[in-house]
Amino acid sequence: MLSAVPRPVTVRVPAKINLHLAVGGVRPDGFHDLVTVFHAVSLFDEVSVERADEPTLDVHGDGVAEVPLDATNLAWRAVELLAQKAGRDPDVRVTLRKGIPVAGGMAGGSADAAGALVALSTLWRMELGRDELSELAAELGSDVTFGLHGGTALGTGRGEQIIPVLARHRLHWVIALARGGLSTPGVFRELDRLRGDGDIPERPVEPVLEALAGGDPRQLALNLGNDLQAAAVSMAPDLRRTLRAGVNSGALAGLVSGSGPTCAFLCADADSAVDVATELAGMGVCRTVRVAHGPVNGARVVDDDEHP
Ligand code: C5P
């Protein structure tokens, strides 16, 4: 029998790390030109939307105290953008279940916005194509487009132009969550300050793409790099200790994820990731650790039997 009230739609959406992040100069719009390799890993947020009498936003999980509950929340801005496009009122309840660290440099807020776009366009049966959704995503933030796509992808522009990248093998990661957060604009500003008027150093992306195509994590480990890392470490000097501890625990390499302060450690295989995570957890250099793998899919509707 058809129900008169549509069921909630739930979307699962992953965190990202940047395997490569080359930051160029400041553009006239205040953003920086980027060349980055996004990689979606198996830490997820869930975004549910359902009809409601009043527009409502609920957030559950770790770090919720730092998540804005007002109109500045990126998932809510996604709802308003879609409502405007559909010419309807945003009469929905949005529920975010956070598994991605808040303000951690893993694009959790952007993931929620990508999830909200997919969930609400499904609830409202808007039948938007990939291109239309990507355009809306780009309006919301630099990392939202990647949240839709997932996988491993080359990002250019301010990060919103995405091309899938051939990545042959599953990669195994240990993710070290920090105690506080870092503000993304603050970290970009710190990088500009550290660079001063000097030349911007080159960071070529080709070796990373070749290592991904080859599928050898050791080769990839030699080529991971993030221009924002120096700025994040300058603002949160303890990260130096965390990065060293991960490598001393047996990781192939470690780097700050995006604007930080989360650190990601590439491991040789799944067993090694468990060993590194166990050792790192005992060293007191981070709030908590997670084991993850990538690449994983971008924002996807979760079936009822997966999510009763
Ligand atoms: O696009 P998003 O809202 O995620 O960006 C957050 C902030 O990060 C921007 O306001 C800007 O300060 C900085 N940013 C940047 N260049 C980029 C992406 C982000 O300067 N390409």
Side-chain angles (χ1 to χ4, degrees), residues 7-210:
R7 298 175 64 106
V9 175
T10 298
V11 166
R12 197 169 81 141
V13 59
K16 63 88 190 161
I17 56 184
N18 303 77
L19 306 180
H20 172 93
L21 180 48
V23 180
V26 188
R27 316 187 318 188
D29 64 4
F31 286 87
H32 294 72
D33 274 319
L34 303 182
V35 176
T36 187
V37 177
F38 290 114
H39 179 68
V41 295
S42 58
L43 300 184
F44 298 97
D45 279 1
E46 277 188 359
V47 183
S48 297
V49 294
E50 62 194 305
R51 260 188 53 191
D53 296 331
E54 290 283 320
T56 314
L57 176 62
D58 288 331
V59 189
H60 304 279
D62 230 14
V64 295
E66 279 105 303
V67 178
L69 290 173
D70 58 12
T72 64
N73 184 291
L74 209 50
W76 193 260
R77 283 178 44 207
V79 167
E80 290 191 329
L81 190 62
L82 267 191
Q84 204 184 348
K85 185 169 175 75
R88 9 187 338 170
D89 292 329
D91 51 354
V92 289
R93 170 187 293 272
V94 176
T95 307
L96 307 178
R97 292 182 197 84
K98 302 290 304 173
I100 305 175
V102 175
M106 299 192 85
S110 301
D112 297 342
L117 285 177
V118 172
L120 190 56
S121 60
T122 305
L123 184 80
W124 284 350
R125 298 177 202 274
M126 290 174 73
E127 319 228 324
L128 299 178
R130 234 167 202 256
D131 289 352
E132 269 176 299
L133 276 175
S134 295
E135 264 175 45
L136 294 168
E139 272 188 55
L140 291 164
S142 310
D143 294 336
V144 183
T145 321
F146 178 71
L148 292 175
H149 291 252
T152 305
L154 181 67
T156 54
R158 57 179 235 272
E160 86 289 9
Q161 291 164 28
I162 297 288
I163 306 168
V165 160
L166 180 67
R168 271 190 203 289
H169 294 286
R170 175 176 278 202
L171 299 171
H172 297 276
W173 298 93
V174 171
I175 311 290
L177 278 57
R179 289 193 177 82
L182 282 174
S183 128
T184 302
V187 176
F188 274 99
R189 270 198 306 274
E190 178 65 1
L191 178 65
D192 292 337
R193 190 188 69 79
L194 291 173
R195 281 178 169 173
D197 295 330
D199 287 342
I200 295 173
E202 294 273 311
R203 185 185 285 285
V205 70
E206 290 76 13
V208 181
L209 301 179
E210 280 162 24

